[in-house]
Amino acid sequence: MIVKSEKYWADLLEQYKLGSISDTDRFELEKRALDDPFLFDALEGYSTVSQGAGPQKKEKTKILT
């Protein structure tokens, strides 16, 4: 079994963030995220941002009395 360095995983995460990751590497990174809650949150955040589904701002309305 080959043990991969933290730099390897950081590089894959950067590629994921930029959208330049291969399907094979993306699968490997997502598989590792199942055992790493911090990585899982990072991937979830990056995928949300890349889809343009960031937090919505609610407009405040004034109630006139």
Side-chain angles (χ1 to χ4, degrees):
M1 178 184 204
I2 298 173
V3 177
K4 297 179 178 168
S5 70
E6 289 302 314
K7 180 171 178 1
Y8 172 81
W9 296 111
D11 289 344
L12 284 186
L13 186 59
E14 183 67 21
Q15 290 173 19
Y16 187 91
K17 182 175 79 169
L18 297 173
S20 62
I21 193 168
S22 71
D23 288 339
T24 303
D25 288 343
R26 181 180 50 79
F27 177 76
E28 184 177 13
L29 189 62
E30 289 172 347
K31 186 176 175 184
R32 179 175 174 145
L34 294 174
D35 295 326
D36 184 339
F38 295 110
L39 179 57
F40 185 87
D41 285 346
L43 295 181
E44 186 176 43
Y46 288 142
S47 67
T48 300
V49 169
S50 70
Q51 295 171 2
Q56 300 285 329
K57 289 186 179 179
K58 295 183 180 180
E59 290 186 29
K60 295 181 181 178
T61 56
K62 289 185 180 181
I63 299 176
L64 301 174
T65 56

